[in-house]
Amino acid sequence: EPEVTQTPSHQVTQMGQEVILRCVPISNHLYFYWYRQILGQKVEFLVSFYNNEISEKSEIFDDQFSVERPDGSNFTLKIRSTKLEDSAMYFCASSALQGAKDTQYFGPGTRLTVL
Amino acid sequence: DAKTTQPPSMDCAEGRAANLPCNHSTISGNEYVYWYRQIHSQGPQYIIHGLKNNETNEMASLIITEDRKSSTLILPHATLRDTAVYYCISGYNKLIFGAGTRLAVHP
């Protein structure tokens, strides 16, 4: 069964450093998403991406964040200058279609720890 | 904010049916109801979704009221591995997660 994969599973970084979290969505999917979950809190939407453009982003997704689909398979989330409060689980998701008709499938997550 | 409300926690005995309620009284006509679950800090796992009709798959059944203001997720024979946080979500594009229902299945 196809699945979303994410690397690394755990990333430790120093405050102020740049990090890139990687995701390989399900191969025939066209819509890609990033969510995050701070320890003990809700899963929060960050951004959705389609056709090489951001289609929607939340207030959390400020100028420190960027997304990219550098090739036909990877989808990345970059945090330019990490802060302590960026420590969280980051989940990538993908879907074949946009909107209510389709299902988003999530990856296992990357645990980001900012020291 | 999430547009659904769920009880914060529920218990269920192993082997019995777990019935998890969800209120989505402000749902609009083209919004589906999705159910996901999350075990520990793993990625949310899709369970089932529906629009108007009741749905069943290998994991669960979804019963949606005729007015679409509420629904119930049914796990017919709960096992210990079904212990998780269950999220009921209504939406169009992005998924807005609430706090969910923490289901504890006990022997």
Side-chain angles (χ1 to χ4, degrees), chain A residues 92-110:
Chain A
C92 173
S94 70
S95 63
L97 302 172
Q98 185 184 38
K101 295 181 186 177
D102 202 26
T103 299
Q104 293 181 29
Y105 293 93
F106 285 76
T110 291

Side-chain angles (χ1 to χ4, degrees), chain A residues 33 35 37 39 42-45 48 55-56 89 91 98-109 111, chain B residues 1-2 30-32 34 36 38 40-46 49 87 91-99:
Chain A
Y33 313 83
Y35 294 79
Q37 185 175 33
L39 186 63
K42 301 174 187 178
V43 177
E44 302 172 288
F45 168 79
S48 59
S55 45
E56 188 172 358
M89 286 289 292
F91 297 109
Q98 185 184 38
K101 295 181 186 177
D102 202 26
T103 299
Q104 293 181 29
Y105 293 93
F106 285 76
R111 180 177 299 282
Chain B
D1 285 347
N30 62 350
E31 288 182 331
Y32 281 64
Y34 283 87
Y36 283 80
Q38 189 176 29
H40 297 300
S41 294
Q42 297 177 21
Q45 178 189 21
Y46 166 76
H49 73 285
Y87 300 101
Y92 187 74
N93 179 19
K94 62 191 178 194
L95 298 176
I96 305 297
F97 287 78

Side-chain angles (χ1 to χ4, degrees), chain A residues 7-104:
Chain A
T7 54
S9 57
H10 192 186
Q11 173 89 47
V12 181
T13 190
Q14 295 290 326
M15 190 169 56
Q17 295 296 303
E18 174 183 288
V19 294
I20 297 176
L21 309 183
R22 291 182 167 78
C23 168
V24 179
I26 293 173
S27 63
N28 63 341
H29 284 185
L30 301 176
Y31 296 86
F32 314 113
Y33 313 83
W34 284 101
Y35 294 79
R36 79 170 186 191
Q37 185 175 33
I38 295 170
L39 186 63
Q41 298 187 23
K42 301 174 187 178
V43 177
E44 302 172 288
F45 168 79
L46 293 179
V47 65
S48 59
F49 189 86
Y50 168 71
N51 200 24
N52 282 321
E53 286 185 346
I54 291 174
S55 45
E56 188 172 358
K57 60 183 181 179
S58 71
E59 291 178 355
I60 303 167
F61 195 89
D62 61 23
D63 292 343
Q64 292 297 313
F65 291 89
S66 62
V67 288
E68 193 179 30
R69 186 151 164 85
D71 53 42
S73 59
N74 288 284
F75 179 52
T76 62
L77 174 70
K78 182 193 292 186
I79 308 176
R80 233 177 299 280
S81 177
T82 51
K83 305 171 197 163
L84 295 177
E85 53 265 37
D86 294 327
S87 293
M89 286 289 292
Y90 287 81
F91 297 109
C92 173
S94 70
S95 63
L97 302 172
Q98 185 184 38
K101 295 181 186 177
D102 202 26
T103 299
Q104 293 181 29

